[in-house]
Amino acid sequence: MSSIGTGYDLSPTTFSPDGKVFQVDYATKAVDNSGTAIGIRCKDGVVLGVEKLVVSKMLVAGSNRRVHAVDKHAGIAFAGLCPDGRQIINRARGEAAQYKSFYGDFIPAQTLCDRIASYVHLFTLYWYVRPYGVGTLLACYDKDGPQLYHCEPSGIAYRYFGTAVGKGRQTAKTEIERLKLDDLTCREAVMIIAKIIHQVHDDAKDKQFELELGWVCDESNKMFQKVPAELHAAAEAAAKAALEEDMED
C-alpha cells in the first residue's frame, strides 16, 4: 500500500511507512515532466536556458516566460508549473527588495537561495497547502563571484557548477559533465546550452518550443539580462545545424 501512496498522499504532513512524503514526490514529478532547464556556471558568469514548450500555435511569442530577473544581480529559471513559478519569482523579488531596503546592499546569493528554499519548504509542512511543483535554478553574481543554485520542490537546495531539471535532465547532465567549466566563457556556454536543449527536445512526442536564455556575467556588467538577440539567434542556428549534422551521420 505504502509503495503507491494509497492513504498516505492525502496531505503533505503525512509520512508513509517508508518515510516518504508522497505529495512532494508528485510535485517533483511535475518538474520532471516539464521542459528542460539548464544552468552553467562559467569563469565569467552564469548562463540559464529553458526549453519552453509552446502549448498553442496562436500563442504570442515571448508569453509565459520561464527566465526572470529577481534583482539586478540575480535571475531565476524554472521548470514545472508556470503559475507556481511566478509565485516563487514574486517571493524572490520581495526578499531581494526587503534585504536591499534594510541593509542597503544587494542580497548575497546564499542568503537569497536560503530564503527561497525556506519558503518552498513551508508548503510541505501544513495540511491546507500543497508543495510547489517547480524546480528553480538561481543565477547570481555577488561579491563572492558567479554562483548557481538549484532549489527542489522539497525545499532542499544545492550549489552547482552546472545542472539541469525537467524532461531531458539526464542527457543534459551527462553533456555538462563533459565540459571544462573552469575554462568556459558565458558566450561559449550559450552556444552549448542551445545545442543541448535542441538535442534533448523530442520532436515526435513534444510540441514546438521556444528557447529562452538569460545570463549574469562580466559582459552584462554583472547584471542579469536576456542574452542579446544576435547571440541568441546565432546559438539557435548553430544548434539546429549541429542537430541536422548528427541526423545525417
Side-chain angles (χ1 to χ4, degrees):
M1 180 183 292
S2 62
S3 62
I4 60 173
T6 306
Y8 297 101
D9 58 356
L10 302 179
S11 168
T13 62
T14 303
F15 282 91
S16 75
D18 297 332
K20 292 184 178 181
V21 179
F22 281 104
Q23 285 206 11
V24 173
D25 290 348
Y26 299 158
T28 303
K29 194 68 176 176
V31 177
D32 293 343
N33 289 334
S34 177
T36 307
I38 299 174
I40 296 179
R41 198 203 78 175
C42 311
K43 64 180 182 180
D44 59 339
V46 184
V47 182
L48 301 177
V50 176
E51 171 201 14
K52 187 186 75 177
L53 300 177
V54 178
V55 296
S56 170
K57 293 180 180 178
M58 301 300 291
L59 194 68
V60 176
S63 301
N64 296 328
R65 289 189 58 81
R66 288 176 174 262
V67 179
H68 297 265
V70 296
D71 204 347
K72 286 185 177 180
H73 69 306
I76 285 177
F78 64 85
L81 304 180
C82 203
D84 288 17
R86 286 199 299 268
Q87 290 297 317
I88 300 296
I89 297 297
N90 290 337
R91 180 71 182 199
R93 286 172 176 166
E95 293 289 355
Q98 186 271 340
Y99 188 96
K100 181 72 179 291
S101 175
F102 192 84
Y103 294 102
D105 199 2
F106 294 125
I107 187 170
Q110 180 68 62
T111 303
L112 180 57
C113 176
D114 288 344
R115 292 189 180 186
I116 293 171
S118 296
Y119 175 70
V120 171
H121 181 238
L122 280 175
F123 284 76
T124 69
L125 301 178
Y126 303 101
W127 65 267
Y128 48 84
V129 293
R130 65 162 175 80
Y132 278 105
V134 169
T136 56
L137 300 178
L138 170 65
C140 193
Y141 203 138
D142 61 13
K143 295 175 182 177
D144 296 324
Q147 298 174 55
L148 171 67
Y149 293 88
H150 171 212
C151 180
E152 299 178 358
S154 63
I156 192 169
Y158 298 100
R159 185 175 175 182
Y160 285 94
F161 291 107
T163 191
V165 292
K167 281 184 180 179
R169 64 193 179 284
Q170 294 298 344
T171 303
K173 286 179 181 179
T174 301
E175 293 296 325
I176 293 170
E177 287 169 1
R178 295 174 180 170
L179 303 173
K180 294 181 179 179
L181 298 177
D182 291 337
D183 301 325
L184 199 67
T185 66
C186 282
R187 277 190 166 264
E188 293 169 338
V190 167
M191 308 297 283
I192 291 168
I193 288 176
K195 182 180 177 182
I196 293 174
I197 288 180
H198 276 272
Q199 181 182 334
V200 301
H201 179 75
D202 190 343
D203 288 324
K205 295 181 181 178
D206 296 329
K207 301 182 175 80
Q208 293 299 310
F209 75 97
E210 289 180 16
L211 174 64
E212 294 188 10
L213 294 165
W215 66 5
V216 55
C217 57
D218 294 335
E219 187 172 334
S220 66
N221 294 319
K222 301 179 181 178
M223 297 173 63
F224 189 87
Q225 299 174 348
K226 289 196 294 185
V227 169
E230 64 275 8
L231 179 57
H232 189 294
E236 284 234 63
K240 290 175 181 177
L243 193 62
E244 288 173 4
E245 241 180 72
D246 292 341
M247 291 176 68
E248 288 174 3
D249 293 341

